[in-house]
Amino acid sequence: MTAQLSKKSEAWSARFSEPVSDLVKRYTASVFFDKRMAEVDIQGSLAHAEMLAHQKIISTKDYEDIQRGMAQIRAEIAEGKFEWLLDLEDVHLNIEKRLTELAGDAGKRLHTGRSRNDQVATDIRLYMRAAIDDILGLLREFRLALLDLAEANADTILPGFTHMQVAQPITFGHHILAYVEMFGRDAERMADCRKRVNRLPLGAAALAGTTFPIDRERVAKALGFDEVCRNSLDAVSDRDFAIEFCAAAALTMTHISRMSEELVIWMSPRVGFIDIADRFCTGSSIMPQKKNPDVPELARGKTGRVNGHLIALLTLMKGQPLAYNKDNQEDKEPLFDAVDTVIDTLRIFADMARGITVKPEAMRAAALQGYATATDLADYLVKKGLPFRDAHEAVAHAVKVCVDKECDLSDLQLDELKNFSPLIEQDVFDVLSLEGSVAARDHIGGTAPAQVKAAIARARAALAIAAV
Ligand code: ARG
């Protein structure tokens, strides 16, 4: 096990005549949060060492010693035996010091032609690439679950709302497909962000590049990067890719939050459109009758922290001159928390989407209130030759009478309806029915059950072939 190392053994200590205080040490250290990048740090170091050996900057023997040492470090970390030392500041110095203990001078040669500045930028990018791939997988799973829910409810009618007031009848399948669209765009954004994440900073060294004959393309290939960062100053300093990720994450959470808001409303006993499986809900410690939708409520709340992380990273970056500044160490905690929050939330939502019970009778009853087919009556009159504004006015009169009589448009008799327009005939009752109303919106993007089924088929086909 690694012993506590003296100040003298720190990478930069010879320059200093007094040690930093414990408080400063704690203030400047990042090891307790950046150690989660240990695996990618080792991967980056091994690719760098292989390149150094290939370029004859270090010997093959050194490379082999580094490989052996790193294998042991990996094992120690996996077994929880690796001793992380605050004195060694961050994940990079902790691993390098342990490597030097295990591999001697070979360990000390690893950092040739490299700086922690390009090393940390590489680690973050590797870490984020894996996180994005996980998120893309979860967004796919979630959309598949939503498609199943939409398919089972392609014909289920509920009121669509504007201003939180009943507007027009829609199908529940159509409503759910709106979220499939949102989460589809979230996946596109993540995939697009990945392109800019997947570029290699290593080789930029501290800021200006290195005097050693390195082969950056070789390292990029070994680590699966699409290309190398083309400017060393930019490579070590900008974190725009992390900001972009947080922006995409904030939008994903915003969509989750909108959906959560609806789930909470739908599950409220006053509305009663759905039930959510017990495993996503909790009871009250005092009110025995309660079953609270904690998961959607918490997800709605957690959206705030991801939005906050986006602002934190933007603010972190805005005042920084080129090139690397220690400010950048502050990028990790917001970034990691954004990753954790989005991953946990999507994982739960993909499961929860399959734990939603729809209550079609309650949805239907709600759609029958609020004159949801008033627009259909206006459209009917337009089709019979009345200008739309006149039709709108005639229906407004009809609605007013229904409000007074406390009945629905479809409850009026034909001769009563004729009072509002002589154009109204027996066939009006087809458009006043909920089924007639939704079926009539039969075009791409419309709520007709036939269109919902076609949209589901298109979405499934796209998910089957597309990378995202
Ligand atoms: N822990 C540092 C970070 O996260 C690593 C880079 C340190 N570089 C430096 N020049 N102090 O940014």
Side-chain angles (χ1 to χ4, degrees):
M1 214 34 35
T2 314
Q4 184 89 8
L5 289 154
S6 74
K7 292 298 299 175
K8 262 200 129 17
S9 66
E10 286 182 17
W12 33 261
S13 65
R15 162 77 174 72
F16 293 78
S17 52
E18 62 169 358
V20 295
S21 70
D22 282 351
L23 176 59
V24 170
K25 217 183 272 176
R26 189 158 54 72
Y27 193 73
T28 54
S30 55
V31 63
F32 292 111
F33 52 82
D34 68 17
K35 68 182 179 190
R36 76 152 78 186
M37 298 195 304
E39 175 53 31
V40 287
D41 191 70
I42 292 171
Q43 285 168 17
S45 288
L46 286 173
H48 178 68
E50 192 279 337
M51 181 277 291
L52 292 178
H54 184 262
Q55 298 297 100
K56 308 214 175 335
I57 299 167
I58 63 171
S59 68
T60 309
K61 166 85 169 54
D62 281 338
Y63 175 48
E64 286 165 0
D65 288 347
I66 289 169
Q67 280 183 303
R68 244 192 314 277
M70 287 300 197
Q72 176 158 345
I73 290 172
R74 267 188 172 133
E76 287 175 4
I77 293 172
E79 290 160 21
K81 291 187 184 144
F82 191 92
E83 198 184 350
W84 299 101
L85 297 174
L86 185 78
D87 267 9
L88 292 174
E89 203 177 313
D90 57 26
V91 61
H92 322 293
L93 292 179
N94 268 271
I95 290 180
E96 191 186 317
K97 280 294 181 301
R98 179 69 181 134
L99 181 70
T100 300
E101 285 175 359
L102 294 168
D105 284 352
K108 293 187 192 163
R109 290 195 184 102
L110 170 64
H111 214 49
T112 312
R114 183 177 81 166
S115 150
R116 273 188 298 158
N117 297 352
D118 57 347
Q119 185 179 358
V120 69
T122 302
D123 289 5
I124 302 170
R125 286 170 183 266
L126 285 172
Y127 177 86
M128 281 184 59
R129 186 178 70 191
I132 290 173
D133 289 344
D134 286 349
I135 289 169
L136 285 173
L138 290 167
L139 279 169
R140 165 185 290 265
E141 259 181 58
F142 184 30
R143 279 177 293 161
L144 286 172
L146 290 177
L147 285 172
D148 286 347
L149 183 62
E151 190 150 48
N153 291 283
D155 302 286
T156 307
I157 293 176
L158 80 164
F161 294 86
T162 58
H163 313 278
M164 281 291 277
Q165 298 182 18
V166 170
Q168 293 172 350
I170 55 169
T171 49
F172 190 58
H174 193 55
H175 196 115
I176 292 300
L177 283 181
Y179 287 105
V180 173
E181 292 292 321
M182 292 180 230
F183 294 116
R185 290 194 298 278
D186 290 332
E188 283 175 24
R189 266 185 287 274
M190 285 288 172
D192 201 61
C193 172
R194 189 189 192 281
K195 292 182 203 157
R196 283 172 293 283
V197 166
N198 205 26
R199 293 173 190 168
L200 175 75
L202 268 183
L207 75 163
T210 173
T211 57
F212 293 96
I214 57 171
D215 181 348
R216 297 185 67 204
E217 299 290 348
R218 187 178 181 85
V219 180
K221 194 153 177 268
L223 292 173
F225 284 103
D226 297 328
E227 51 182 297
V228 301
C229 296
R230 291 181 294 247
N231 179 289
S232 61
L233 300 169
D234 177 46
V236 290
S237 64
D238 205 0
R239 297 290 184 264
D240 60 353
F241 58 92
I243 296 174
E244 222 182 307
F245 170 81
C246 278
L251 271 171
T252 304
M253 288 303 293
T254 297
H255 292 149
I256 288 275
S257 188
R258 294 188 69 192
M259 183 175 216
S260 297
E261 174 76 3
E262 298 214 278
L263 293 173
V264 170
I265 292 170
W266 291 341
M267 200 182 140
S268 143
R270 275 179 182 274
V271 176
F273 286 0
I274 60 162
D275 196 13
I276 297 178
D278 286 359
R279 64 183 186 279
F280 303 103
C281 303
T282 63
S284 155
S285 58
I286 177 167
M287 297 167 283
Q289 83 281 15
K290 299 277 271 178
K291 176 176 162 186
N292 299 326
D294 288 42
V295 165
E297 286 175 16
L298 254 180
R300 198 173 54 189
K302 283 177 188 286
T303 304
R305 64 201 276 166
V306 177
N307 291 354
H309 296 328
L310 169 62
I311 299 299
L313 290 192
L314 281 166
T315 312
L316 176 70
M317 208 66 243
K318 75 176 277 294
Q320 288 194 50
L322 287 173
Y324 176 86
N325 303 282
K326 186 82 167 184
D327 312 39
N328 275 342
Q329 183 165 289
E330 283 288 303
D331 64 355
K332 287 166 206 63
E333 285 167 293
L335 188 60
F336 294 161
D337 189 71
V339 166
D340 290 348
T341 306
V342 172
I343 287 183
D344 284 354
T345 304
L346 286 175
R347 199 173 279 152
I348 292 180
F349 269 62
D351 188 16
M352 193 171 63
R354 300 194 183 280
I356 292 176
T357 309
V358 174
K359 298 183 174 170
E361 325 73 47
M363 290 183 175
R364 189 178 180 83
L368 286 170
Q369 294 164 1
Y371 317 105
T373 55
T375 316
D376 297 271
L377 180 55
D379 288 354
Y380 168 90
L381 291 171
V382 169
K383 285 173 197 157
K384 299 253 174 179
L386 206 58
F388 181 76
R389 279 292 156 226
D390 294 342
H392 186 279
E393 186 63 11
V395 177
H397 283 298
V399 169
K400 186 157 190 313
V401 168
C402 288
V403 170
D404 292 343
K405 295 180 73 164
E406 295 186 1
C407 71
D408 189 50
L409 286 168
S410 58
D411 296 328
L412 295 177
Q413 301 299 313
L414 182 56
D415 45 340
E416 287 177 285
L417 283 165
K418 274 184 179 294
N419 290 336
F420 306 110
S421 168
L423 296 169
I424 296 179
E425 291 166 58
Q426 182 62 36
D427 60 353
V428 73
F429 293 103
D430 296 340
V431 310
L432 291 182
S433 78
L434 297 178
E435 280 71 18
S437 173
V438 293
R441 286 164 171 80
D442 192 14
H443 53 78
I444 287 208
T447 193
Q451 291 294 339
V452 170
K453 285 169 196 157
I456 292 167
R458 278 197 303 275
R460 283 198 199 286
L463 274 175
I465 53 163
V468 292

